[in-house]
């Protein structure tokens, strides 16, 4: 399959997962599980793409080198390397979003307060996570009994 098409499919899959999280108050358990399934599918896709990239780089004699900035730059200089990295981000960010949605329900964080955290986790993963960790410690969070 064309690498551009794989990129589009991965983005669409992630968008489906994020939509499930945004709508999770409607059917919390089902939608969070659905988002997790999408995250696992992205993780499996990542694993296949990574294996393919390692084989390709091995055949060219380049190999993978994550021990230096130059090595990482070489890996991401190829479209295949960018796709592997992008799917990595999509999978992990979605997984963190699903965790936050589940945790928010347990801690009584209102969904309106969770939504900005989900948006920032989608767009800037670590910042979104930090925002959620801060919000869940505020007085708006009321643990469910």
């Amino acid at each position: 399959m064309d690498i551009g098409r794989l990129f589009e499919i991965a983005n669409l899959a992630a968008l489906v997962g994020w939509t499930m999280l945004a709508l999770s108050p409607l059917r919390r358990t089902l939608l969070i599980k659905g988002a997790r399934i999408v995250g696992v599918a992205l993780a499996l896709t990542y694993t296949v793409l990574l294996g393919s990239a390692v084989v390709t780089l091995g055949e060219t004699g380049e190999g993978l080198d994550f021990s230096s900035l130059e090595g990482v730059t070489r890996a991401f200089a190829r479209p295949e390397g960018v796709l592997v990295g992008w799917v990595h981000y999509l999978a992990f960010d979605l997984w963190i979003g699903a965790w936050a949605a589940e945790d928010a329900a347990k801690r009584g964080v209102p969904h309106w307060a969770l939504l900005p955290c989900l948006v920032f986790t989608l767009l800037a993963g670590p910042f979104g996570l930090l925002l959620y960790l801060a919000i869940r410690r505020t007085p708006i969070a009321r643990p469910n009994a």
Side-chain angles (χ1 to χ4, degrees), residues 42-68:
L42 287 168
L44 289 170
T45 302
Y46 164 79
T47 302
V48 170
L49 291 171
L50 179 64
S52 175
V54 168
V55 168
T56 300
L57 289 173
E59 290 172 351
T60 63
E62 295 177 48
L64 273 179
D65 174 18
F66 291 122
S67 66
S68 69

Side-chain angles (χ1 to χ4, degrees), residues 15-112:
L15 184 60
V16 168
W18 285 105
T19 301
M20 288 179 187
L21 294 179
L23 299 173
S24 66
L26 302 176
R27 301 275 318 256
R28 185 171 318 278
T29 303
L30 178 66
L31 291 172
I32 291 174
K33 282 183 182 180
R36 286 190 190 275
I37 290 168
V38 173
V40 169
L42 287 168
L44 289 170
T45 302
Y46 164 79
T47 302
V48 170
L49 291 171
L50 179 64
S52 175
V54 168
V55 168
T56 300
L57 289 173
E59 290 172 351
T60 63
E62 295 177 48
L64 273 179
D65 174 18
F66 291 122
S67 66
S68 69
L69 182 58
E70 293 79 18
V72 173
T73 301
R74 272 193 308 276
F76 286 112
R78 306 173 70 117
E80 297 85 0
V82 174
L83 180 62
V84 170
W86 184 246
V87 174
H88 176 278
Y89 284 123
L90 291 176
F92 261 62
D93 289 354
L94 182 58
W95 193 264
I96 294 300
W99 170 81
E102 186 175 56
D103 188 69
K106 290 177 188 171
R107 293 178 179 271
V109 174
H111 196 68
W112 62 263

